[in-house]
Amino acid sequence: MKSNNDRNTTIYDLRQLAKEFVKERNWESYHTPRSLSEAISIEAAELLENFLFKKTDDINGNLDQITDEMADIFIYLLNLSNTLKLPNFVQC
């Protein structure tokens, strides 16, 4: 990877890191499209929990937890794109 900077890191770099992480742990057999989609849904629910019954001003104390849940969702999305062998994760 080029650097530890959002400005310089590509989606390709992140996909490669996610792929290596999964391979090192022998998780490929667990990473089916269905299981990864379920994991994304579960993590999204955990993200929403940080906002439940709170006003916008009240979430500042939860920013670390919110960031963690967002990262979990993003990592699962990267893994899903790898599992599906998508040529491009982002098509804008």
Side-chain angles (χ1 to χ4, degrees):
M1 184 166 20
K2 298 173 191 169
S3 74
N4 193 13
N5 181 317
D6 285 356
R7 189 176 302 255
N8 298 322
T9 304
T10 68
I11 296 291
Y12 177 82
D13 295 332
L14 296 173
R15 284 181 69 174
Q16 292 307 112
L17 285 173
K19 188 183 292 186
E20 290 169 20
F21 187 85
V22 168
K23 187 174 183 168
E24 288 171 2
R25 288 155 182 80
N26 295 317
W27 288 351
E28 294 95 343
S29 64
Y30 302 107
H31 282 206
T32 64
R34 179 185 173 119
S35 66
L36 290 166
S37 296
E38 290 169 340
I40 291 165
S41 179
I42 291 164
E43 294 297 338
E46 290 177 8
L47 174 62
L48 279 170
E49 191 174 25
N50 288 284
F51 299 95
L52 186 64
F53 306 121
K54 295 181 181 165
K55 296 179 182 175
T56 304
D57 298 343
D58 297 338
I59 63 169
N60 289 333
N62 287 13
L63 291 180
D64 287 341
Q65 183 65 31
I66 290 167
T67 302
D68 288 348
E69 299 305 340
M70 290 173 59
D72 290 345
I73 293 165
F74 188 61
I75 291 165
Y76 280 126
L77 285 168
L78 293 170
N79 287 327
L80 180 59
S81 69
N82 286 338
T83 297
L84 294 173
K85 296 179 176 41
L86 298 178
N88 296 304
F89 176 56
V90 179
Q91 296 183 1
C92 298

